[in-house]
Amino acid sequence: MFGKAGKRIVGSVLGFLVPDACPVCARAMPEPGGDLCAGCAVSLRELPSPRCSQCGGAADSALAVCGECLQTGARPWRHAVSVFAYGGTVRDMVHRLKYGKQPYLAGFLGQRMARAWQAHGTGIPEVVVPVPLHLWRRLRRGYNQAGLLAEQVAQAIDVPVVPALVRARATRRQALLDIDSRKANVKGVFAPRPRWSVAGRHVLLLDDVLTTGHTLGEAARTLCEAGALAVSVLTAARG
């Protein structure tokens, strides 16, 4: 109906009549072109540098990895990047995205994730793979939040989304379990989807939060067994 010039004009008029809203608090943006209001920009500080190369969180020593990753040992992926520490406003945003029927938050978080990868990632991923939900949980939720984040990141870094994994069985929510139970809960839970090959490719594996890393670790191992050349991890937050 409209050409490119017409769409720009319509977009400008709508932006004037209906100003952009801060995705966190829904207040009008004080500055054009920003993605947060001034108050939320203060409360949503990204993780400082240097970053831990194994979990994407803040490095707490002169080493390239944090103390927790030193104790955990080698992760089953090449490199990890996270954007925020998980807590406060960030925790609230993730819960609203996952459980509060607010999928629009994936737009803001996904763009910040793409920016963080471009600043702190290593290598050039060839495909983006979201951590899948079990079918019944996805039907109840209406969407997979990791899939929405993956679409945003893939568009920003110009690589395709490949749904290369499926959950072979339902599991309990990891957040409700202790560390030992979390590992057992996700053991063998993922299976490759042969139609979507990752063989010989550098895969960027996406999820919303990295806490213990058991879920992402199981997904990364499955991708490697399916022939992925390398797996890197990108999350919105480090718990």
Side-chain angles (χ1 to χ4, degrees):
M1 181 177 179
F2 297 107
K4 290 183 178 179
K7 289 180 179 179
R8 283 196 297 269
I9 293 171
V10 171
S12 297
V13 172
L14 289 176
F16 176 76
L17 295 176
V18 185
D20 291 335
C22 172
V24 179
C25 67
R27 289 195 294 266
M29 298 291 291
E31 297 288 342
D35 61 357
L36 292 174
C37 72
C40 291
V42 171
S43 66
L44 277 173
R45 298 291 189 184
E46 296 190 7
L47 285 161
S49 293
R51 306 279 186 94
C52 173
S53 61
Q54 287 294 293
C55 69
D60 50 14
S61 71
L63 301 176
V65 297
C66 67
E68 182 179 333
C69 287
L70 282 174
Q71 292 182 348
T72 301
R75 306 274 192 175
W77 54 73
R78 172 191 286 181
H79 186 77
V81 173
S82 293
V83 186
F84 303 105
Y86 186 62
T89 302
V90 174
R91 182 179 183 276
D92 178 63
M93 288 185 71
V94 170
H95 276 236
R96 287 160 56 198
L97 171 63
K98 293 173 72 169
Y99 312 120
K101 302 294 185 183
Q102 297 184 25
Y104 68 87
L105 289 169
F108 166 75
L109 291 171
Q111 290 302 309
R112 287 295 184 96
M113 290 168 70
R115 193 171 75 180
W117 175 260
Q118 291 165 335
H120 303 286
T122 59
I124 302 174
E126 297 168 85
V127 294
V128 173
V129 175
V131 170
L133 287 177
H134 187 266
L135 175 62
W136 295 117
R137 185 167 293 173
R138 178 167 181 168
L139 288 173
R140 287 196 302 269
R141 190 170 298 175
Y143 54 84
N144 175 13
Q145 74 281 350
L148 298 182
L149 295 170
E151 291 172 6
Q152 294 291 325
V153 172
Q155 183 177 9
I157 66 175
D158 195 25
V159 297
V161 176
V162 174
L165 295 173
V166 63
R167 282 196 183 242
R169 57 180 171 80
T171 56
R172 297 173 64 191
R173 280 178 54 190
Q174 290 286 84
L176 303 177
L177 305 175
D178 59 34
I179 292 177
D180 293 335
S181 298
R182 288 183 180 199
K183 186 174 182 178
N185 190 46
V186 296
K187 183 67 175 178
V189 72
F190 298 110
R193 300 177 70 182
R195 177 184 171 188
W196 301 96
S197 175
V198 296
R201 292 175 162 183
H202 179 188
V203 175
L204 185 57
L205 178 65
L206 261 71
D207 206 358
D208 47 15
V209 181
L210 190 160
T211 307
T212 62
H214 292 318
T215 300
L216 283 159
E218 196 65 26
R221 277 187 285 268
T222 304
L223 290 169
C224 289
E225 290 169 0
L229 180 65
V231 177
S232 297
V233 165
L234 177 61
T235 59
R238 171 67 169 105

